[in-house]
Amino acid sequence: ASRTWTTTRRERRPSVQTLAKDAQITVGSNCPSGKSVFGGGFQVTNPNFVVVASVPETSPQQRWAATVRSLANNQTGTITVRAICAIVQ
């Protein structure tokens, strides 16, 4: 049987964060109800922010999440996370 994929690209509103040195934050982009996370990605604007994880999460909801750590104190930057979501029919 063949499958049809109905996809949606979701972008979380950019999150502006100020982090202390070695502080971490996780930002996610949720899939609409009834769709599963298929892929995703991230963008950061501060070179002192490093992404330590960029992964799909399936509990408690379908989303793509990125965890960012600051390499220096009192760093401010924008973190944008995108999720690609799909229904298999």
Side-chain angles (χ1 to χ4, degrees), residues 39-78:
F42 62 89
Q43 179 180 15
V44 295
T45 61
N46 186 324
N48 286 306
F49 283 0
V50 292
V51 175
V52 295
S54 178
V55 296
E57 293 183 345
T58 57
S59 180
Q61 56 196 351
Q62 296 283 324
R63 74 180 195 153
W64 195 269
T67 300
V68 176
R69 182 170 58 94
S70 178
L71 298 177
N73 203 26
N74 295 323
Q75 296 294 304
T76 299
T78 302

Side-chain angles (χ1 to χ4, degrees), residues 2-8 35-38 85-89:
S2 65
R3 292 184 177 184
T4 302
W5 293 87
T6 304
T7 60
T8 301
K35 292 195 175 187
S36 298
V37 65
F38 183 76
C85 308
I87 296 174
V88 177
Q89 297 178 346

